[in-house]
Amino acid sequence: MDARDKQLLRSLRLELCTEVLVDGLVIQYLYQEGILTDSHVQEIKSQTTSQRKTMMLLDILPTRGPKAFDAFLDSLQEFPWVKEKLMMKRKEMTVQDPAGVTEIAPCILKTSPTDQQLNKLARRLGPEWEHIVLCLGLSHTDIYRCKVNHPHNLQSQIVAAFVLWRQRLGKKATIQNLQASLMAEEVDPSVIQYMLE
């Protein structure tokens, strides 16, 4: 699923949870089209409320390949207003897609991020930070330690994880690697721009 569609699902997450009941045709259609596997269907059905079922589906969808979003749109036969809204938003996002994201100079890409830059980055990241540091080579144990060491401050947890990554990799902990893992997790490119300002 491309970054724009993931962003769209994320931005309408709560709305989708209140308006779409995935129990009926939605899951069955996605299963039929090969977007969901047996275990996905079981995992979704095992959730206790319809909102949780929808959230579970929204968590699974972005990982299911390039056809997942369109198949999801097709599955919304019972919810034409939701389908219409998603298609409208998708068009809007295409129009405002920032094609003019400024390039980062190669000399900057080869440097290690400073503490100040890591702090700025931590301010902009949400729950996706764990996937980003896993991409960078940290383990679940490392993440757990960062959380235990800073139990009440998400930003401190994130900074601690990035500092640990920088200490471990030394000169190999470059802004380029960081940018690559942010892109892999489809974090908005403006986040890295903000970090480098």
Side-chain angles (χ1 to χ4, degrees):
M1 187 180 290
D2 78 27
R4 181 196 59 198
D5 293 339
K6 283 186 184 179
Q7 178 63 40
L8 178 56
L9 285 181
R10 194 178 303 144
S11 66
L12 292 175
R13 188 176 175 89
L14 294 175
E15 212 170 309
L16 290 168
C17 285
T18 56
E19 293 197 26
V20 177
L21 299 168
V22 297
D23 256 357
L25 292 176
V26 175
I27 294 182
Q28 295 311 319
Y29 182 82
L30 291 170
Y31 177 68
Q32 170 194 306
E33 296 301 305
I35 302 296
L36 297 179
T37 63
D38 272 335
S39 62
H40 290 136
V41 173
Q42 294 312 315
E43 202 175 346
I44 292 167
K45 286 185 171 180
S46 71
Q47 300 302 309
T48 48
T49 65
S50 57
Q51 267 105 347
R52 284 176 188 264
K53 289 176 183 173
T54 306
M55 276 193 193
M56 180 58 69
L57 174 66
L58 293 175
D59 288 342
I60 294 169
L61 272 178
T63 66
R64 300 304 298 156
K67 296 187 182 129
F69 189 82
D70 290 317
F72 178 59
L73 284 179
D74 292 341
S75 75
L76 295 171
Q77 312 292 258
E78 299 173 295
F79 309 97
W81 66 94
V82 178
K83 181 177 180 176
E84 209 168 288
K85 181 173 220 162
L86 281 168
M87 288 167 71
M88 289 282 291
K89 285 270 190 200
R90 196 183 198 190
K91 261 199 196 104
E92 284 170 25
M93 286 175 88
T94 312
V95 171
Q96 48 179 259
D97 231 6
V101 174
T102 51
E103 284 295 308
I104 301 166
C107 58
I108 294 173
L109 286 174
K110 289 185 177 76
T111 62
S112 278
T114 63
D115 286 349
Q116 185 185 5
Q117 288 171 328
L118 292 177
N119 240 321
K120 286 175 88 172
L121 177 62
R123 256 183 259 148
R124 282 291 178 92
L125 293 179
E128 72 272 18
W129 75 273
E130 294 182 30
H131 296 288
I132 293 164
V133 296
L134 287 171
C135 265
L136 290 169
L138 264 59
S139 68
H140 287 285
T141 312
D142 295 327
I143 292 173
Y144 177 74
R145 268 198 212 108
C146 294
K147 287 180 167 183
V148 169
N149 293 342
H150 307 278
H152 306 297
N153 190 330
L154 178 64
Q155 189 175 340
S156 298
Q157 292 170 12
I158 299 171
V159 171
F162 284 125
V163 168
L164 181 62
W165 160 71
R166 200 177 57 193
Q167 287 168 346
R168 283 225 185 117
L169 288 182
K171 284 189 162 63
K172 289 184 184 160
T174 62
I175 289 175
Q176 188 166 13
N177 291 347
L178 191 53
Q179 183 186 31
S181 69
L182 288 168
M183 286 168 75
E185 279 307 310
E186 282 153 0
V187 173
D188 193 291
S190 67
V191 171
I192 205 115
Q193 294 299 135
Y194 171 78
M195 180 188 104
L196 295 171
E197 277 167 13

